[in-house]
Amino acid sequence: MSSRIPNLDANLAVALDALLAEQSVTRAAARLGTSPAAMSRTLARLRRVLQDPLLVRAGQAMVPTPRAQALRDEAAEVVRGLAALLTPSGGVDPATLRRTFTLQAADLVGAALAPGLLGLARSQAPGISLRVLAEEWEAGPALREGRVDLEVGSIDHVDPETRVEELVTLRMAAGVRAGHPLAEGPLTAAGLAAAEHVAVSRRGRFTGPLDAALAERGLSRRVGVVLPGHLAAMALAAAGDVVCLVPTALPGEPPSPLADAARALGLRLLDIPVPLPPVTIGMAWHPRHTADGAHRWLRGAVRRVLRAGGEE
């Protein structure tokens, strides 16, 4: 027996359902928004395909054949299935989700996101679990390969098809312990340059935008140590007389959760007296997840945590 699948026409199934339900070419045509002539041609085609007359005239009416009667419920079920298959998703109920999401983020971003996301998951989607992976050293295809559901942070490397949404713009502040000499008075560019610094770089770099801004004023700073993450740098600043950079909210904006760790460590956040480029935090995902209801919930949750009042 041949296993070849015959050419399928979903329109025939829809027409068959209408004809068997209405038992009238005219009423079936009206139901499907077509003409009686077109419906008559479709009935003729169905008769050829099924090798059965399906509807035969009995006086002024048409009555179904035994084959048609046997097909009636099955045809209706097929059409209901097609409608469900081809109808856009109406979203999901977060309370019913059972899923683990994998996010990729720097340590500070992960620490800022985790409490808010966990709280939203507990109240809205208790079946959700979260896994946060460290940023990759080099741009990788984690989103494309499906190893990561969402990347959150400073998005500077993406595949061409990747969707990116900017969430919040921050500024950098100088974080020092409460008793640090810089915390005693107004911070100057010269005073900032004279202090010892801890730098944050996954690649071990000693210099960054602050060095370029100081150089324009003929100043340079001393970086005593480079660490791969902001949390370790903040802990070091809280324990000694070194300066670390901390992302915080722009003036007039609500406090950013990215500064929560610095505040918890008791760091003082000082305005840097030289212009630095702003820091944009965003999220990136592969387009195959764009319409997925569960992923939409995740993106909305990240949006709410990082920028108050965000909507999908």
Side-chain angles (χ1 to χ4, degrees):
M1 178 181 295
S2 173
S3 60
R4 186 176 67 87
I5 298 176
N7 291 330
L8 300 178
D9 185 345
N11 290 324
L12 283 181
V14 175
L16 177 63
D17 175 51
L19 285 164
L20 298 186
E22 300 293 344
Q23 296 185 26
S24 164
V25 169
T26 301
R27 290 195 299 271
R31 175 171 171 172
L32 299 184
T34 188
S35 68
M39 185 56 68
S40 291
R41 290 193 293 271
T42 302
L43 176 57
R45 184 180 174 192
L46 282 166
R47 286 166 169 167
R48 290 194 300 271
V49 170
L50 297 175
Q51 298 181 12
D52 188 273
L54 297 175
L55 295 174
V56 295
R57 189 159 297 281
Q60 297 299 314
M62 300 190 78
V63 296
T65 65
R67 177 78 190 281
Q69 289 177 327
L71 289 174
R72 182 172 179 173
D73 290 343
E74 186 176 351
E77 182 64 27
V78 167
V79 171
R80 283 194 293 269
L82 285 171
L85 178 66
L86 299 177
T87 298
S89 172
V92 298
D93 179 2
T96 66
L97 293 176
R98 299 293 181 270
R99 188 158 164 182
T100 296
F101 286 114
T102 300
L103 289 76
Q104 181 171 287
D107 62 342
L108 184 60
V109 177
L113 279 173
L117 288 182
L118 186 58
L120 287 174
R122 284 172 175 167
S123 63
Q124 299 180 8
I128 289 292
S129 298
L130 301 168
R131 178 192 296 116
V132 181
L133 303 180
E135 291 181 297
E136 296 184 351
W137 272 40
E138 301 294 340
L143 292 172
R144 175 181 286 177
E145 294 176 354
R147 293 185 285 113
V148 169
D149 295 297
L150 195 67
E151 181 179 351
V152 185
S154 181
I155 310 297
D156 56 4
H157 56 270
V158 293
D159 293 316
E161 72 274 15
T162 302
R163 304 291 179 87
V164 178
E165 179 183 337
E166 294 183 356
L167 297 173
V168 64
T169 298
L170 307 172
R171 64 187 175 100
M172 300 304 290
V176 297
R177 68 177 181 86
H180 193 286
L182 290 183
E184 300 304 319
L187 181 60
T188 65
L192 181 63
E196 185 176 19
H197 291 249
V198 52
V200 176
S201 171
R202 288 174 294 147
R203 298 171 178 83
R205 295 172 179 168
F206 279 79
T207 59
L210 178 56
D211 298 280
L214 290 173
E216 291 182 358
R217 289 158 175 75
L219 301 170
S220 63
R221 63 173 179 157
R222 179 179 182 274
V223 175
V225 61
V226 179
L227 295 175
H230 282 87
L231 294 179
M234 291 178 186
L236 183 61
D241 286 344
V242 294
V243 180
C244 69
L245 296 183
V246 179
T248 190
L250 295 171
E253 295 294 327
S256 169
L258 270 76
D260 286 350
R263 288 189 283 265
L265 288 167
L267 292 180
R268 295 276 305 278
L269 300 184
L270 310 176
D271 291 338
I272 294 176
V274 295
L276 294 179
V279 177
T280 299
I281 302 298
M283 58 182 172
W285 67 93
H286 193 274
R288 67 174 169 271
H289 295 308
T290 297
D292 177 61
H295 201 278
R296 284 173 60 89
W297 179 89
L298 174 65
R299 299 197 305 271
V302 169
R303 197 178 290 113
R304 287 186 60 184
V305 171
L306 292 185
R307 64 176 195 204
E311 299 293 340
E312 176 68 30

